[in-house]
Amino acid sequence: MKKTLFYGKISIQGRDVMKVRTRFAPSPTGFMHIGNLRTAIFEYLVAKKYNGDFLLRIEDTDQNRKVDGAIEFIYKTLELCGFQIDEGPFNEGDCGPYIQSERKDIYKKYALELVEKGEAYYCFCTESELEAMREHAAARKKPFLYDGRCSKLSKEKIAENLKNGVPYVIRQKMPKTGTTIVEDLIYGKIKIDNSILDDQILLKSDGFPTYNFANVVDDHLMGITHVIRGKEYLDQTAKYNLLYEAFGWEKPTYIHVAMVLGEDGNKLSKRNGDASFMDLYEEGYLPEAIVNYLVLLGWSPETNQEVYTMDELIKAFNENRISKSSSQYDVKKLKWFNAKYIKALDDEKYLEFIRPFLTHDVSDKSQEWADKLLLIYKDHLSYGKEIDEMVNIFFNDEINISAENKAFLESDANIPIVIDTYREELAKITDWTVENIAKVIDIVKEKTGVKGKILYMPMRIKISGVEHGPELPDEIYLIGKEKVIARLS
Ligand code: GLU
């Protein structure tokens, strides 16, 4: 189904604006898995593509899940990813507060408005009454639906209960027959039987709203034109539509997006040990690379361009091309993107990025030596933390040569000659530079008449213990004259 985005006049707090507005609405759990972030990217791109606003709203009505510092953490994440937040808790616009726990009075007012309209009602049922209803439903193998008994209470009874301070919740009065249609940009029209809809709780006994209520009230009051969220909310959306209708509010355009599954095909979760954005960032994945990788999980551009700047993404993004089916996280592909982004950094930016990942002690080395070391790996890294292991050969005082490599060193009569020639020629160098070292390799080649594997491999093994490494002149340079000569002797 193709649908052009609504791009019309909306009223925010009585003020008319002509704008697309989307929001990212995370719970402040201190953990952002990449599926959440991918949703945020889609929300951001839809807003920015239409020159609209991107809002941040903190959904902390489940106070048990709240973590200190989580809001700062969310800001930091979005900032690192290059998002500009137009309105949010730290930069309020006209629709504040942007933290749900600070909006309790607003939800109460709107819940009472629905009670007034006969679209919602007070429910005084106790936990044990509800438990009995649940057991009754379970015995009949039916899903539990509240039986609506409190919707039949007399006005007097309600007034008396309220006066006596009997705890209550407010429930939405659902139609018992007919169907409700949900229209989604990606999934099309979905018909939900009203008979399966529970008279859901809107306001809990502690005065906090449920997510199901708060998201509708907030999306309306914040002028959200496009609700982009995980597909797990799609079935619930019938209830939200009934709320919009009960209030007489215009519904937003819904864009539900399929899940990102973990590498094992399961739902992503912290418990499964799946990497969050911050985990990846701390491992040395560049935020730009993560964003680029994630946007292509579940969205296919019109061309086969794979690497995008944020500006290019904003131009190219097309919400109609979001996939209906779930996608799978693939760390190999992420590494591929990250390597590309690392390679593209200019040397100064690269050094700034990579230095913190080097844990080897370089205090006795020159800055030039350390930078050179890091720079030769620029084109070979797929993430920052990899550097430490890659450079091990430059920090070992002792080298270990495997039996296999020892056998290799004895496999050709030319090898000892090559090694001796290297030693003699390198010893002659007065100005220890990569250039002069490269010249020595040419001299050795000429003098001994060997080339290819025999010219390089024995040398690498003798000076580092292993057959792999960066370009040989770089490797020789970094190990240093003294150590190289000693290891060749
Ligand atoms: N707080 C919800 C979540 O983190 C938001 C869902 C929505 O975008 O409406 O899943």
Side-chain angles (χ1 to χ4, degrees):
M1 181 187 58
K2 288 254 166 191
K3 189 172 162 191
T4 24
L5 288 180
F6 164 75
Y7 187 56
K9 189 179 76 172
I10 52 162
S11 181
I12 303 172
Q13 311 268 297
R15 199 165 49 82
D16 287 342
V17 289
M18 309 268 291
K19 258 191 178 172
V20 162
R21 285 166 67 86
T22 66
R23 87 299 193 273
F24 179 44
S27 301
T29 60
F31 179 82
M32 194 181 305
H33 70 57
I34 52 170
N36 282 135
L37 181 58
R38 202 267 320 251
T39 307
I41 297 170
F42 287 174
E43 286 155 352
Y44 185 71
L45 293 177
V46 168
K48 293 302 147 192
K49 176 182 164 189
Y50 295 97
N51 295 314
D53 294 333
F54 173 69
L55 281 69
L56 174 64
R57 180 172 79 225
I58 302 299
E59 304 211 323
D60 60 346
T61 56
D62 183 355
Q63 293 279 304
N64 297 326
R65 296 176 63 206
K66 202 167 158 176
V67 170
D68 279 345
I71 302 180
E72 289 79 359
F73 172 87
I74 291 165
Y75 259 91
K76 168 125 201 257
T77 300
L78 298 180
E79 214 169 79
L80 285 170
C81 289
F83 296 180
Q84 259 123 45
I85 302 168
D86 295 295
E87 292 168 33
F90 294 160
N91 54 328
E92 298 214 336
D94 297 334
C95 309
Y98 291 78
I99 301 177
Q100 288 187 328
S101 60
E102 293 169 14
R103 298 170 63 82
K104 274 167 86 176
D105 294 346
I106 300 176
Y107 307 120
K108 180 151 189 192
K109 173 179 158 230
Y110 283 97
L112 293 179
E113 185 182 318
L114 288 185
V115 172
E116 196 68 24
K117 285 182 156 169
E119 299 280 358
Y121 58 89
Y122 289 100
C123 170
F124 300 97
C125 285
T126 59
E127 202 30 62
S128 61
E129 282 172 289
L130 291 170
E131 196 43 48
M133 276 180 239
R134 267 184 220 116
E135 276 165 19
H136 186 65
R140 292 162 56 225
K141 296 201 163 44
K142 289 254 158 85
F144 164 71
L145 291 181
Y146 178 70
D147 66 9
R149 67 181 69 165
C150 282
S151 67
K152 299 176 192 107
L153 293 177
S154 69
K155 271 203 176 109
E156 293 71 27
K157 183 69 190 162
I158 295 169
E160 184 194 320
N161 280 349
L162 291 177
K163 198 172 130 215
N164 293 335
V166 181
Y168 66 84
V169 299
I170 292 180
R171 288 182 184 273
Q172 184 181 359
K173 200 184 275 174
M174 292 295 183
K176 298 290 171 264
T177 56
T179 52
T180 298
I181 306 280
V182 172
E183 261 197 273
D184 182 85
L185 190 76
I186 310 301
Y187 292 95
K189 269 195 182 139
I190 291 145
K191 230 190 214 176
I192 309 279
D193 246 317
N194 291 338
S195 63
I196 64 162
L197 300 178
D198 189 29
D199 278 4
Q200 63 172 341
I201 296 176
L202 304 179
L203 209 64
K204 297 183 270 189
S205 54
D206 59 5
F208 275 98
T210 54
Y211 162 78
N212 285 347
F213 186 52
N215 92 85
V216 170
V217 171
D218 288 346
D219 284 340
H220 171 74
L221 294 179
M222 295 181 176
I224 300 303
T225 56
H226 298 80
V227 169
I228 302 165
R229 66 177 154 223
K231 191 189 164 206
E232 62 273 24
Y233 292 97
L234 184 56
D235 286 342
Q236 304 287 320
T237 304
K239 297 179 184 174
Y240 311 149
N241 277 355
L242 288 165
L243 281 171
Y244 280 101
E245 282 162 23
F247 280 117
W249 292 340
E250 186 173 356
K251 296 178 194 92
T253 298
Y254 293 115
I255 304 178
H256 284 90
V257 296
M259 250 194 259
V260 177
L261 301 172
E263 293 214 274
D264 56 1
N266 289 322
K267 213 174 139 175
L268 284 170
S269 79
K270 187 179 181 174
R271 223 177 318 143
N272 273 348
D274 289 310
S276 70
F277 169 80
M278 273 303 166
D279 294 334
L280 293 175
Y281 180 68
E282 280 163 12
E283 293 247 303
Y285 288 88
L286 294 165
E288 300 89 319
I290 301 175
V291 168
N292 196 151
Y293 167 68
L294 286 179
V295 77
L296 294 171
L297 270 188
W299 169 66
S300 47
E302 264 130 278
T303 65
N304 47 22
Q305 180 176 350
E306 283 198 288
V307 178
Y308 289 87
T309 63
M310 184 60 97
D311 282 344
E312 287 172 333
L313 274 182
I314 291 171
K315 283 201 196 88
F317 193 73
N318 178 348
E319 57 286 351
N320 288 296
R321 295 177 67 90
I322 293 175
S323 161
K324 272 198 177 82
S325 32
S326 31
S327 25
Q328 200 160 343
Y329 174 63
D330 172 6
V331 78
K332 265 207 229 107
K333 188 81 203 202
L334 173 61
K335 281 184 180 163
W336 180 85
F337 271 103
N338 204 49
K340 266 196 174 309
Y341 274 82
I342 292 176
K343 235 189 231 185
L345 292 174
D346 66 41
D347 286 355
E348 208 173 304
K349 285 238 171 68
Y350 165 76
L351 288 171
E352 222 172 87
F353 154 75
I354 199 70
R355 274 188 198 119
F357 292 104
L358 186 72
T359 63
H360 290 284
D361 181 14
V362 287
S363 56
D364 60 338
K365 316 270 195 212
S366 70
Q367 174 84 22
E368 190 224 331
W369 185 90
D371 288 353
K372 170 82 187 147
L373 172 73
L374 295 171
L375 280 167
I376 61 171
Y377 285 96
K378 185 175 160 195
D379 290 353
H380 305 283
L381 281 175
S382 37
Y383 60 99
K385 267 202 178 159
E386 231 175 10
I387 191 74
D388 242 5
E389 213 188 304
M390 284 184 159
V391 301
N392 265 341
I393 55 167
F394 300 107
F395 295 91
N396 295 338
D397 283 331
E398 299 278 316
I399 57 168
N400 291 312
I401 302 178
S402 68
E404 204 182 318
N405 280 340
K406 273 190 187 138
F408 170 73
L409 292 178
E410 285 158 16
S411 67
D412 191 308
N414 280 320
I415 292 177
I417 303 167
V418 170
I419 296 296
D420 281 344
T421 316
Y422 268 118
R423 197 190 56 240
E424 282 159 23
E425 293 301 325
L426 288 170
K428 288 184 200 158
I429 296 181
T430 46
D431 187 11
W432 190 251
T433 62
V434 174
E435 242 170 43
N436 288 339
I437 293 167
K439 280 185 203 148
V440 164
I441 297 177
D442 287 338
I443 296 171
V444 174
K445 187 175 169 185
E446 216 170 286
K447 281 199 163 172
T448 61
V450 303
K451 54 184 181 191
K453 202 173 167 183
I454 300 293
L455 182 62
Y456 298 103
M457 277 267 272
M459 184 61 186
R460 282 191 192 281
I461 294 171
K462 285 292 266 186
I463 63 173
S464 74
V466 291
E467 62 271 39
H468 305 292
E471 294 290 321
L472 188 55
D474 290 333
E475 186 171 343
I476 296 173
Y477 168 81
L478 288 168
I479 291 175
K481 187 169 175 182
E482 210 176 299
K483 266 191 191 168
V484 168
I485 303 290
R487 285 175 186 177
L488 295 178
S489 303

